[in-house]
Amino acid sequence: MFNIKEHFSATSINETIRLLQDYPGAKLIAGGTDLLVKMRKASPKCPVSLISLREIVELSQIYLTETGNLSIGATVTFDEICNNELILEKMPFLAQVAATIGGPQLRNMATVGGNLCSGAPSADSAPALLALDARLELIGPQGKRLLDVKEFFLGPFQVDLRDNEILSCIIIPLSSERALGGYYYKYSMRNAMDIATLSCASVCEIDAKNCLKSVRIALGTAAPTPIRCFKAERFAEGQQFSKELLERVALIAQSEAKPRSSWRASKEYRLHLVKVLVARTLKQAYLNAGGVI
Amino acid sequence: MPEINCYVNGELKNICVDYGETLLMMLRNRLGLTGVKKGCEVGECGACTVLVDGKPVTSCIYLALWVDGKNVLTVEGLTASGELSSLQQSFVEEGAVQCGFCIPGFLMSAYALLKKKKHPTETEIRNGIAGNFCRCTGYENIIRAIKNVNQTSTKAKLP
Amino acid sequence: MGYQYVGKNINRIDGFAKVTGQAKYVGDMNMPGMLYGKILRSTVAHAIIDKIDTEKASQLKGVHAILTYENVPQNRYTSTGHPYPDDTPLDTMVLDRKVRFVGDAVAAVAADTPEIAEKALELIEIEYRELPGIFDPEEALKGKAVEIHEGTGNIAGQSGYEFGDVTAGFEKADFVFEEEFKTPIVQHCPMETHISIAYIDENNRLVIHSSTQIPHTLRRLVSQAIGLPISKIRVIMACVGGGFGSKQDLCQEAINALLAFQSRRPVLLEYSREEDMVSSRTRHATTIKLKTGVQKDGRIIARSMTLLSNTGAYSSHGHSVALNMGGQFATLYSTDNIMFEAKTVYTNLPIAGAMRAYGIPQLNFAIESHMDNIARKLNLDPIVFRRKNICKVGDIDPVNRIEIKSCGLEEAITLGEKLTQWREKRSVYASQNSGSHLKRGIGMACFSYACCCYPGIEEVASARVMIGEDAAVSLFLGSAEIGQGSDTIFAQIVAEELGVSVDNINVIAGDTDVCPFDLGAYASRQAYVTGTAVKKAAALCKRDLLCGASKFLGVSDASLTLKDNWVMDEAGNKLMSIAELSKRMHYNLEAPTMIAHDAHFSPQENAITFGATFAEIEVDVDTGKIQVKKIWSILDAGKILNPKLAEGQVHGGISMGVGYALSEELLYDYTTGKILNNNLLDYKLLTALDMPAMEVHFIETNDPTSPFGNKSLGEPPTISVAPAIRNAVLNALGMEFNELPLRPEKVFQRLYCNA
């Protein structure tokens, strides 16, 4: 039995914000796969007030915005991302990412917003959204603000959510002209039900001459927060794809990573994985973008 | 104590639950559906898997409150007719059962998988049951059982 | 001889109950007024409890019992599920003033709800006087080390043997190889954690429903622990959700019994997953030093082994595990000059007990890795090297004096060689070019394993067969069905003897008030030992039936057979149904006859199961990750009593073996002794997406010492999986890994960090 004092089922974003104001200390809950597990392990156990986002229709939509971007509601589950037709058509890369998360049951419950807001360095949705230059729509008592996802992560398990503010949706810019290639590599001990020892998402666009027009590389569990590898990206952009280029880019990315040692993996091993994963994901992203070797 | 209405194995239930009560506790303690097993209480083992509106969830980290207005299916609901479903029959015949503790969870994951796709490939089966741990079988005969469900049997169809 | 039920793919008799969710495990029972027990666990590795104050907890509404070392019997016992008397140290008490590992029991509470019980635990105030914690077994043996159990020098047991002249053997040998191997602490992870319900019945007797592998032994252990006569205790085994050895121990039933006595209410005590992984039992971590003398022709002429086994905070099965290793060390490769030295050491870590194959996975990893390392140095194919040295029919091991009467090992190796295309792949894989980051490898390992505990400890089992007036058969057993399918096997044996169908047989097992004595599910002994008792009891009933039939039919009983639920003549004509026969025997004015017989069996010999595991793997040399592509398991477990169930045992054994090889390890903080990965996210059991393809074959020898030629099968399939994988990695990379598990980071370190 969880120690829950009260449970409010909000039906709108505005109601959620009001509830947050009225019940200081109340926690937002959507899928519950992160919060409930933490509550069970927390000690001493003090009663918690919960505000459920599960019934808020406006948070659970996936649609194309007027400007042609992809909007994914904060309470969309990973299973929905895996199977949503719009995502499969416009951004199959995201479905590939979502399929690496937990197992079927967990994907039916866990939400993309919850995953981001947990602020875990290993959050599976973070590298991909970083690499896609996603923006977050955050709504609070003072209104709406848009934040680049790369600004969102402040530290381990810390995100830029202000008082009484909630994440409403994730907006992913869609490239209008050329196909964008993306690939996510989650390196973990198991092929399911695991957290990433290291993860890497690479996204690129190529031009007609197989040059890398734009490159974005992001890492999970490689620093106190999910990070982008800007130096590596800048180096790669405009270059012709080659094996040597991959090696150079991977080395630069490695210099940007700041992993720590834990009993799960050493810093040295994680750094090594950065190099391997960056090369592998960028190569596959290039191929997915239609590049030829 | 909030009151919820939901269908459990096809039957409408009106139940008062605690805020902190999990779906697992509600099913086992209030409704006596002890086929739903508790293996870890943190959503890691899959033994407590049930279907909520057709989708498998781990009922140990799913609040009972959340099934208000929804359909819940547990292992007990697979034998509504009193006979084994073709899926259960296949588990027995293929030697998919050993200690049996994880089996209700596997049956629910498999059931959801087969509802989505009648003849899943081996990879799809492995993916479909990847959220369920079994320490006895190495999964081999469970996979075989799901593969070999007699979909044409008229005697005991999937409910 | 053709059997009708034995050797056939009979569906499990508990299959229906288990797929419908109707099978009743302990947690599925509910009793009026039932309380919930919880145990307070030590947060420090080694300490004396200076003060324990339960005042606040006892004032909490809804608390009905609180136990500390101050109010429980201070009887010393061993928790080991062995027959009496047991020579493992009596180092355990229900609750002690000293705590010896993070997770040791400090106090226990029973309350109206689990939440109140937990709250009460939080209210118990403890002052610890901390002692230095010892986590390294080598440290434990140093003179200055603090003693975890007074007067032991931190040694839970030690033993050794020498046969022949090992020193002379090494001197004579052309080559001598010496290596060290290490294995980790792993955990059983049965899907159902340890759980029991205890209550005092209307006759003032203690009743315990438990998820146990050893109902009768558990009753005796509880009796010793709490000082209640055996006659006052009834243990009833429920459906068991997996054990793998962890439930061959008294882990929680004694403390639960005391909660029930104090509260006079039924108490449910259920371990959480986190608690189960730390505070039940584990598999011994070991350090094994091997020395082997080999002649130029590849014959081994001398072997020695030094074992350091870490039993954790209490002995539990402790040194018995080492003794078992000593027996098999001398069996697989028979050598005239052989020496074994073993120490089992206490540390402030979780308690190691019995786990599937009782020390042999550790031993086997060492000896089979060693064999491959030697073969490599001698430039011999590992199979060629093994063939020169494996044991054969007629060999008698010098330790236990068990004569091998059946051995399909040579045949198993040959079949594996063929199935895996061994020769072709070995040479191709050993000379892979460096073009790809994926490297393949193929390896193999052999094993031997006994079929019961004779002559190490007592072996006995009994069975009662009772035939009702309509040919319904009741089979009473003290043995334990824990998922391996033993109840089904025994029903098959009864069906075979009596000529009745399996669905006529009702198995009643594991209730110490009702069922005859058996030692329980361990050592893969039940089909071998209990199976014989069942066969004997059924044969006695068969004699009665034939005698009755002969009387009613007026023909000689020698001309009659029982088959397909009928009494038949020699030509196979149905003369009378067995149902009719048993009815007429029961309801008979002149001489009513009850048909019921007990039989027991105590083997005064043993047999050896053999097998060879082959593994094909692929290493990602960029990341160090090993993927097992396929496992071939070829076993000589004698006659297979139920191929489908047998295959399932092998699959499960392989999956445990792959986990042992690659990912499973209970990790602890080196300074505090706290277990770091006490959950199924961080303790890496394999999922369905991680398991390799598996191919299982049986070489069906016919062992003369068992009821149907069968040998042990429950534990053996797990034994040589890890070394086979490890040897495949050796083939792929040319690197010797002498420590388990082969986690990717370890492989990475060898690939990249070894200057």
Side-chain angles (χ1 to χ4, degrees):
Chain A
M1 177 95 70
F2 294 106
N3 202 348
I4 298 173
K5 192 162 71 184
E6 48 208 344
H7 178 285
F8 305 101
S9 196
T11 54
S12 71
I13 293 172
N14 287 338
E15 188 191 352
T16 307
I17 293 165
R18 270 203 309 278
L19 284 165
L20 280 170
Q21 290 171 314
D22 293 348
Y23 296 89
K27 290 194 184 308
L28 297 179
I29 191 163
T33 55
D34 190 61
L35 182 62
L36 291 178
V37 173
K38 278 184 186 143
M39 279 170 60
R40 181 170 180 276
K41 289 178 176 167
S43 181
K45 295 167 181 171
C46 44
V48 177
S49 300
L50 294 181
I51 302 168
S52 164
L53 309 175
R54 303 172 62 86
E55 305 300 321
I56 306 179
V57 179
E58 52 190 320
L59 288 181
S60 63
Q61 308 297 311
I62 301 171
Y63 61 93
L64 282 184
T65 65
E66 286 162 8
T67 50
N69 292 327
L70 180 65
S71 170
I72 301 174
T75 64
V76 168
T77 65
F78 288 112
D79 183 64
E80 284 161 354
I81 291 178
C82 286
N83 294 301
N84 181 271
E85 283 182 16
L86 191 60
I87 288 178
L88 289 172
E89 187 203 326
K90 301 283 182 189
M91 192 60 75
F93 166 51
L94 276 181
Q96 187 242 321
V97 173
T100 68
I101 294 169
Q105 297 93 320
L106 196 110
R107 290 195 292 273
N108 283 327
M109 301 187 286
T111 66
V112 61
N115 190 238
L116 282 178
C117 293
S118 76
S122 61
D124 277 300
S125 58
L129 294 174
L130 278 167
L132 289 170
D133 267 335
R135 274 171 302 159
L136 306 179
E137 185 184 87
L138 305 162
I139 304 180
Q142 272 75 48
K144 200 182 275 189
R145 64 178 175 124
L146 279 178
L147 184 71
D148 265 6
V149 71
K150 58 178 179 282
E151 313 293 330
F152 189 58
F153 302 108
L154 302 177
F157 305 98
Q158 282 181 313
V159 293
D160 183 14
L161 265 180
R162 294 174 189 166
D163 283 351
N164 307 325
E165 192 174 53
I166 74 164
L167 169 67
S168 60
C169 66
I170 298 144
I171 298 160
I172 298 162
L174 292 182
S175 167
S176 45
E177 294 158 26
R178 291 197 61 87
L180 179 129
Y183 193 70
Y184 178 62
Y185 198 121
K186 172 177 178 171
Y187 183 83
S188 51
M189 282 284 265
R190 291 190 289 223
N191 293 318
M193 302 304 282
D194 215 339
I195 49 171
T197 309
L198 199 98
S199 59
C200 180
S202 288
V203 167
C204 71
E205 288 172 282
I206 56 171
D207 66 14
K209 287 179 248 157
N210 278 338
C211 265
L212 294 163
K213 220 174 80 184
S214 73
V215 174
R216 268 114 57 198
I217 301 164
L219 300 170
T221 333
T225 69
I227 56 163
R228 279 274 292 272
C229 301
F230 294 111
K231 286 184 200 161
E233 294 171 5
R234 277 203 297 277
F235 182 84
E237 278 176 354
Q239 304 255 24
Q240 192 78 31
F241 181 87
S242 70
K243 194 166 168 273
E244 294 69 36
L245 176 75
L246 281 185
E247 283 169 14
R248 294 289 296 278
V249 172
L251 274 175
I252 299 168
Q254 200 181 26
S255 72
E256 296 179 80
K258 288 175 188 60
R260 64 180 190 104
S261 284
S262 76
W263 56 267
R264 290 193 173 97
S266 71
K267 178 184 162 186
E268 292 71 28
Y269 186 46
R270 286 200 167 107
L271 275 175
H272 174 80
L273 289 172
V274 169
K275 206 171 62 177
V276 176
L277 266 54
V278 166
R280 283 188 187 175
T281 53
L282 186 54
K283 180 180 172 185
Q284 193 58 47
Y286 171 75
L287 292 172
N288 290 352
V292 285
I293 297 173
Chain B
M1 232 174 156
E3 184 182 312
I4 61 168
N5 290 293
C6 58
Y7 282 91
V8 177
N9 298 332
E11 213 176 297
L12 180 63
K13 301 279 179 189
N14 176 268
I15 318 164
C16 288
V17 298
D18 283 306
Y19 287 121
E21 187 169 331
T22 62
L23 177 57
L24 171 68
M25 294 166 68
M26 180 190 104
L27 294 169
R28 286 182 60 87
N29 303 346
R30 296 196 193 272
L31 302 180
L33 299 172
T34 53
V36 189
K37 295 294 180 235
K38 175 164 78 177
C40 72
E41 296 183 274
V42 285
E44 280 159 6
C45 79
C48 66
T49 302
V50 300
L51 306 190
V52 175
D53 285 349
K55 296 206 164 199
V57 301
T58 44
S59 60
C60 68
I61 50 167
Y62 196 99
L63 295 183
L65 277 176
W66 297 347
V67 296
D68 192 21
K70 292 187 163 37
N71 263 298
V72 181
L73 187 69
T74 72
V75 68
E76 287 87 352
L78 297 182
T79 29
S81 66
E83 267 183 61
L84 292 187
S85 65
S86 48
L87 175 63
Q88 292 163 304
Q89 190 64 40
S90 189
F91 266 60
V92 174
E93 277 167 16
E94 297 292 348
V97 180
Q98 289 189 31
C99 87
F101 199 78
C102 67
I103 291 301
F106 271 97
L107 286 165
M108 301 321 290
S109 289
Y111 178 88
L113 179 70
L114 293 174
K115 280 281 166 181
K116 211 157 85 177
K117 193 166 181 200
K118 218 169 170 186
H119 298 287
T121 62
E122 179 169 331
T123 309
E124 286 166 337
I125 294 172
R126 285 185 188 268
N127 271 295
I129 58 169
N132 295 77
F133 280 112
C134 172
R135 192 57 154 164
C136 296
T137 66
Y139 308 101
E140 191 71 12
N141 290 351
I142 293 176
I143 293 163
R144 195 182 298 173
I146 298 170
K147 210 182 293 176
N148 293 346
V149 171
N150 185 352
Q151 301 271 9
T152 55
S153 161
T154 49
K155 190 167 149 257
K157 285 201 176 97
L158 287 173
Chain C
M1 189 166 106
Y3 294 119
Q4 201 180 357
Y5 298 100
V6 165
K8 299 295 188 297
N9 281 331
I10 306 291
N11 288 341
R12 290 184 71 99
I13 59 171
D14 54 2
F16 183 92
K18 285 178 173 174
V19 297
T20 53
Q22 297 307 305
K24 289 283 173 279
Y25 301 81
V26 173
D28 302 334
M29 298 175 197
N30 198 352
M31 303 205 168
M34 189 168 81
L35 304 176
Y36 297 84
K38 293 272 176 197
I39 295 177
L40 185 65
R41 299 286 173 189
S42 170
T43 53
V44 295
H46 198 189
I48 307 282
I49 299 170
D50 265 346
K51 203 180 138 200
I52 185 158
D53 187 347
T54 58
E55 186 57 31
K56 283 182 195 158
S58 65
Q59 282 166 9
L60 191 67
K61 193 166 174 283
V63 173
H64 298 271
I66 303 180
L67 306 174
T68 69
Y69 79 90
E70 288 170 342
N71 66 351
V72 301
Q74 296 288 289
N75 301 328
R76 299 174 74 83
Y77 62 95
T78 168
S79 66
T80 320
H82 277 172
Y84 179 86
D86 189 9
D87 57 6
T88 49
L90 306 178
D91 60 10
T92 306
M93 290 190 279
V94 177
L95 290 169
D96 196 345
R97 199 184 158 197
K98 192 173 179 187
V99 292
R100 295 178 174 87
F101 69 105
V102 179
D104 206 351
V106 174
V109 160
D112 286 334
T113 68
E115 290 74 27
I116 297 172
E118 261 169 38
K119 183 81 198 155
L121 294 186
E122 281 176 28
L123 294 174
I124 296 175
E125 292 166 5
I126 308 158
E127 280 173 27
Y128 291 113
R129 179 169 16 115
E130 281 202 58
L131 301 166
I134 303 171
F135 311 117
D136 179 351
E138 309 263 0
E139 286 294 316
L141 289 174
K142 288 188 180 156
K144 287 178 292 181
V146 61
E147 282 191 319
I148 296 168
H149 293 274
E150 292 68 19
T152 62
N154 293 326
I155 294 172
Q158 56 185 326
S159 60
Y161 59 70
E162 180 172 357
F163 297 96
D165 187 337
V166 173
T167 315
F170 287 135
E171 273 167 19
K172 201 176 138 204
D174 295 316
F175 310 97
V176 176
F177 300 93
E178 211 170 343
E179 291 181 305
E180 185 178 286
F181 299 87
K182 282 184 179 218
T183 64
I185 308 175
V186 296
Q187 219 268 325
H188 314 69
C189 298
M191 295 319 295
E192 178 202 37
T193 59
H194 285 70
I195 182 167
S196 65
I197 295 174
Y199 63 93
I200 316 305
D201 77 3
E202 61 279 16
N203 299 315
N204 208 27
R205 288 174 81 228
L206 168 66
V207 182
I208 303 171
H209 294 270
S210 170
S211 176
T212 180
Q213 301 177 214
I214 44 162
H216 279 91
T217 305
L218 184 72
R219 178 177 62 169
R220 195 202 78 235
L221 293 173
V222 170
S223 157
Q224 284 178 278
I226 68 173
L228 193 69
I230 289 175
S231 61
K232 294 285 180 196
I233 306 171
R234 177 182 187 182
V235 170
I236 306 171
M237 182 187 81
C239 207
V240 175
F244 311 109
S246 73
K247 296 171 184 173
Q248 191 203 340
D249 241 284
L250 167 58
C251 285
Q252 56 146 256
E253 290 81 359
I255 207 166
N256 199 15
L258 294 173
L259 286 172
F261 269 111
Q262 197 179 101
S263 64
R264 306 304 289 188
R265 301 257 293 265
V267 181
L268 171 71
L269 181 58
E270 177 179 24
Y271 281 2
S272 69
R273 175 59 58 188
E274 294 87 342
E275 195 175 18
D276 211 57
M277 291 190 72
V278 174
S279 303
S280 65
R281 296 293 179 264
T282 63
R283 174 182 279 162
H284 292 76
T286 61
T287 303
I288 296 171
K289 287 183 179 136
L290 294 176
K291 190 171 172 185
T292 303
V294 189
Q295 295 294 72
K296 279 201 185 94
D297 64 359
R299 278 286 304 169
I300 296 171
I301 57 163
R303 300 164 71 210
S304 77
M305 167 168 167
T306 311
L307 164 71
L308 185 60
S309 178
N310 183 352
T311 200
Y314 297 88
S315 167
S316 174
H317 289 259
H319 197 62
S320 303
V321 172
L323 292 172
N324 198 38
M325 293 164 83
Q328 290 311 311
F329 176 60
T331 301
L332 184 57
Y333 302 110
S334 43
T335 323
D336 292 337
N337 308 302
I338 190 160
M339 190 180 88
F340 175 79
E341 263 182 4
K343 273 198 183 84
T344 300
V345 173
Y346 291 115
T347 57
N348 296 110
L349 286 171
I351 308 162
M355 182 170 172
R356 198 175 197 165
Y358 214 71
I360 307 308
Q362 297 98 307
L363 169 82
N364 192 258
F365 170 72
I367 62 176
E368 288 300 90
S369 300
H370 189 53
M371 288 298 280
D372 259 48
N373 293 354
I374 295 174
R376 184 160 168 263
K377 278 156 195 144
L378 295 178
N379 209 14
L380 281 173
D381 180 284
I383 288 182
V384 172
F385 179 45
R386 281 182 176 81
R387 278 218 175 92
K388 291 175 191 285
N389 292 292
I390 50 171
C391 59
K392 293 177 180 59
V393 168
D395 284 358
I396 299 173
D397 81 82
V399 185
N400 293 318
R401 309 295 305 166
I402 299 168
E403 182 186 343
I404 298 172
K405 298 200 177 79
S406 63
C407 178
L409 182 55
E410 173 72 44
E411 219 179 313
I413 295 171
T414 305
L415 180 60
E417 219 177 351
K418 190 169 135 235
L419 291 169
T420 58
Q421 301 173 280
W422 172 263
R423 267 168 239 209
E424 296 85 327
K425 286 181 181 169
R426 280 293 288 192
S427 56
V428 171
Y429 293 164
S431 57
Q432 289 165 92
N433 61 33
S434 53
S436 167
H437 65 277
L438 298 174
K439 283 200 190 305
R440 288 249 176 171
I442 187 161
M444 63 88 67
C446 305
F447 73 85
S448 63
Y449 197 73
C451 294
C452 66
C453 297
Y454 180 85
I457 53 174
E458 179 192 321
E459 266 300 354
V460 70
S462 45
R464 178 183 307 137
V465 176
M466 193 169 94
I467 302 178
E469 63 264 46
D470 62 348
V473 180
S474 296
L475 170 61
F476 294 82
L477 296 166
S479 61
E481 166 67 75
I482 61 169
Q484 79 282 48
S486 59
D487 280 359
T488 304
I489 297 292
F490 298 139
Q492 283 175 256
I493 292 174
V494 172
E496 192 66 55
E497 282 298 313
L498 295 180
V500 300
S501 45
V502 169
D503 54 18
N504 266 27
I505 297 161
N506 183 28
V507 177
I508 301 114
D511 181 338
T512 57
D513 266 16
V514 177
C515 299
F517 188 84
D518 195 309
L519 295 168
Y522 60 84
S524 302
R525 59 181 287 282
Q526 290 190 150
Y528 189 79
V529 185
T530 311
T532 307
V534 170
K535 191 180 176 193
K536 281 170 76 176
L540 292 169
C541 290
K542 179 182 182 178
R543 191 198 58 194
D544 285 4
L545 286 172
L546 289 175
C547 179
S550 143
K551 225 180 327 178
F552 293 130
L553 295 166
V555 293
S556 148
D557 58 3
S559 69
L560 298 173
T561 56
L562 304 174
K563 202 182 168 196
D564 297 335
N565 300 319
W566 284 84
V567 181
M568 295 189 190
D569 63 16
E570 280 161 326
N573 297 310
K574 294 175 177 175
L575 305 178
M576 183 184 212
S577 75
I578 296 174
E580 177 65 18
L581 170 63
S582 59
K583 188 160 83 186
R584 286 177 62 180
M585 287 172 76
H586 276 82
Y587 301 114
N588 189 311
L589 193 59
E590 293 82 33
T593 311
M594 301 299 115
I595 315 158
H597 285 281
D598 285 297
H600 77 273
F601 176 62
S602 174
Q604 298 301 310
E605 54 193 338
N606 206 332
I608 306 287
T609 281
F610 296 97
T613 308
F614 287 73
E616 184 161 358
I617 59 99
E618 191 171 82
V619 190
D620 182 335
V621 294
D622 286 350
T623 62
K625 194 165 176 177
I626 296 161
Q627 195 193 357
V628 181
K629 309 300 278 186
K630 188 165 179 179
I631 297 282
W632 293 260
S633 180
I634 306 142
L635 291 115
D636 159 23
K639 167 82 184 164
I640 297 302
L641 303 176
N642 184 326
K644 190 164 55 185
L645 295 193
E647 199 190 8
Q649 287 304 295
V650 181
H651 292 152
I654 291 172
S655 74
M656 214 174 248
V658 176
Y660 195 46
L662 299 183
S663 60
E664 290 186 36
E665 180 172 19
L666 212 52
L667 299 162
Y668 58 92
D669 184 301
Y670 293 113
T671 54
T672 63
K674 187 177 188 295
I675 295 297
L676 299 165
N677 56 341
N678 62 343
N679 59 71
L680 298 177
L681 176 63
D682 291 314
Y683 185 88
K684 311 289 184 181
L685 296 182
L686 302 180
T687 74
L689 283 170
D690 302 299
M691 278 301 296
M694 296 186 262
E695 196 175 315
V696 178
H697 296 270
F698 295 110
I699 308 290
E700 292 198 58
T701 58
N702 189 348
D703 198 275
T705 65
S706 63
F708 294 94
N710 55 294
K711 298 196 280 187
S712 61
L713 182 65
E715 298 160 288
T718 205
I719 295 172
S720 62
V721 179
I725 291 169
R726 175 270 181 207
N727 289 341
V729 175
L730 175 60
N731 178 225
L733 301 180
M735 286 180 176
E736 296 169 355
F737 287 90
N738 293 349
E739 187 174 345
L740 286 178
L742 279 71
R743 287 166 84 100
E745 184 164 357
K746 269 191 221 158
V747 180
F748 152 79
Q749 280 165 353
R750 285 287 289 277
L751 283 166
Y752 293 90
C753 306
N754 264 19

